[in-house]
Amino acid sequence: MELMPWQVLVATVATEYDPETGFPYYREIFVTTPRQAGKTTLILILLIVRCLSQENQACVWTGQDGQSIKRKWFNEIIPLLERTKLFPLISMVRKANGSESLKWETGSRIELLPTSETAGHGMVLDFAVMDEIFSDQDNRREAALVPAMATKQDAQILTCSTAGTAASLVYNRKVRLGRAAVAEGKDFGLAYFEWSAPAEWDQNDDKSFELFHPAFNRTIFLPAVQAARDSLEGEAGEFARAWGNRPQVDSGSVFPAPVWARCVSRSAAPDL
């Protein structure tokens, strides 16, 4: 497949190595784009590069929840690989529930992991993917994966996501850190990539999408965006989140309404 310019940029920077040490310049790569930009393809390519360029690489892919990553695995990833010339290099594909994985002739493997506090415990990892972290309201996923990579000096973690809400604590923290790293001109440790609409964005300006959506007029076209905008009429914040990659910061409470309702007491008074 032919990569889009933004995918080439990320892949090129993500695979940069220090010639003196042989280790990657960037231990973490963070990518945030609007919906339908091609993040899944980028993730797959970086996983394949890691698995085929080195032997016995332990790689994992985590999603916003166990079911979503499995659907992506079976509906998109495996069928795509089966259509490529790389498929004969895969020595094993496991589809059993709870052990979804594939192994390459190099001895490297890619496994799906659930999003839980125990996922990754006891493992030693070379490359980890945290996909769609806008749904993470705590650090359990990162806290499970990062220690599993501590003994690997060339380990990398790839985080990809569209923007979330005020409750997207992990995503929002990483955006702050990434923007600060760019402002400081850091060229090691964290590679930060963001494609998003400007703060003053006019959602009805059809020409604006080509200014920030990296796949616009390549794999996603105006009629599809217009249809999405029409279907979300009255939900401007959600359209801006999904298609402009703008956080929906005014979408409501950080705590889900049912949880808040169980905690609220109208009769309680402060203990003075």
Side-chain angles (χ1 to χ4, degrees):
M1 65 181 66
E2 183 177 351
L3 298 183
M4 290 178 277
W6 84 269
Q7 294 168 323
V8 173
L9 171 64
V10 175
T12 301
V13 175
T15 53
E16 287 181 351
Y17 280 76
D18 184 338
E20 295 185 3
T21 65
F23 301 142
Y25 274 118
Y26 304 103
R27 194 168 181 89
E28 180 176 1
I29 304 101
F30 184 90
V31 181
T32 179
T33 70
R35 291 279 307 276
Q36 301 298 322
K39 293 189 294 293
T40 298
T41 300
L42 173 68
I43 291 170
L44 181 59
I45 286 172
L46 289 175
L47 281 167
I48 290 173
V49 168
R50 173 64 74 141
C51 288
L52 296 184
S53 63
Q54 302 183 55
E55 295 182 346
N56 301 314
Q57 295 293 291
C59 307
V60 297
W61 192 339
T62 67
Q64 63 191 89
D65 57 65
Q67 293 304 314
S68 64
I69 190 64
K70 288 178 183 179
R71 285 194 298 270
K72 183 178 291 187
W73 185 255
F74 292 121
N75 296 338
E76 299 179 42
I77 304 305
I78 299 302
L80 175 60
L81 287 171
E82 288 174 342
R83 298 193 300 268
T84 71
K85 296 179 181 180
L86 294 174
F87 196 69
L89 299 177
I90 299 175
S91 60
M92 179 182 64
V93 176
R94 287 184 176 176
K95 298 183 178 181
N97 186 39
S99 61
E100 297 87 353
S101 62
L102 62 82
K103 189 174 182 179
W104 300 85
E105 292 291 344
T106 58
S108 300
R109 67 185 188 277
I110 303 173
E111 298 182 33
L112 301 189
L113 283 186
T115 303
S116 67
E117 295 178 359
T118 58
H121 284 207
M123 303 179 71
V124 177
L125 301 176
D126 298 283
F127 195 95
V129 175
M130 297 198 305
D131 196 8
E132 298 296 15
I133 63 164
F134 73 87
S135 63
D136 291 16
Q137 297 185 16
D138 56 45
N139 295 309
R140 72 180 64 186
R141 200 179 347 175
E142 191 171 24
L145 295 175
V146 171
M149 309 169 74
T151 61
K152 295 285 188 171
Q153 296 192 66
D154 63 344
Q156 290 181 293
I157 186 165
L158 170 65
T159 304
C160 297
S161 187
T162 298
T165 68
S168 304
L169 301 183
V170 178
Y171 174 88
N172 295 334
R173 172 172 56 83
K174 287 188 174 293
V175 168
R176 289 195 299 271
L177 293 174
R179 290 178 176 177
V182 172
E184 295 169 9
K186 291 185 64 174
D187 58 359
F188 63 91
L190 170 64
Y192 180 79
F193 301 88
E194 177 184 344
W195 284 265
S196 59
E200 65 279 5
W201 177 44
D202 178 3
Q203 298 181 18
N204 295 311
D205 181 0
D206 291 340
K207 294 183 179 180
S208 66
F209 293 94
E210 63 186 19
L211 301 177
F212 63 85
H213 197 303
F216 191 71
N217 285 335
R218 292 186 171 89
T219 60
I220 189 75
F221 297 91
L222 183 59
V225 176
Q226 291 173 326
R229 187 170 56 202
D230 292 342
S231 69
L232 291 170
E233 184 177 359
E235 298 289 342
E238 175 56 26
F239 181 78
R241 185 196 73 81
W243 294 96
N245 201 27
R246 300 290 309 175
Q248 197 174 3
V249 295
D250 58 349
S251 60
S253 173
V254 169
F255 299 99
V259 175
W260 182 253
R262 291 198 299 269
C263 299
V264 169
S265 171
R266 298 186 181 279
S267 61
D271 183 4
L272 302 177

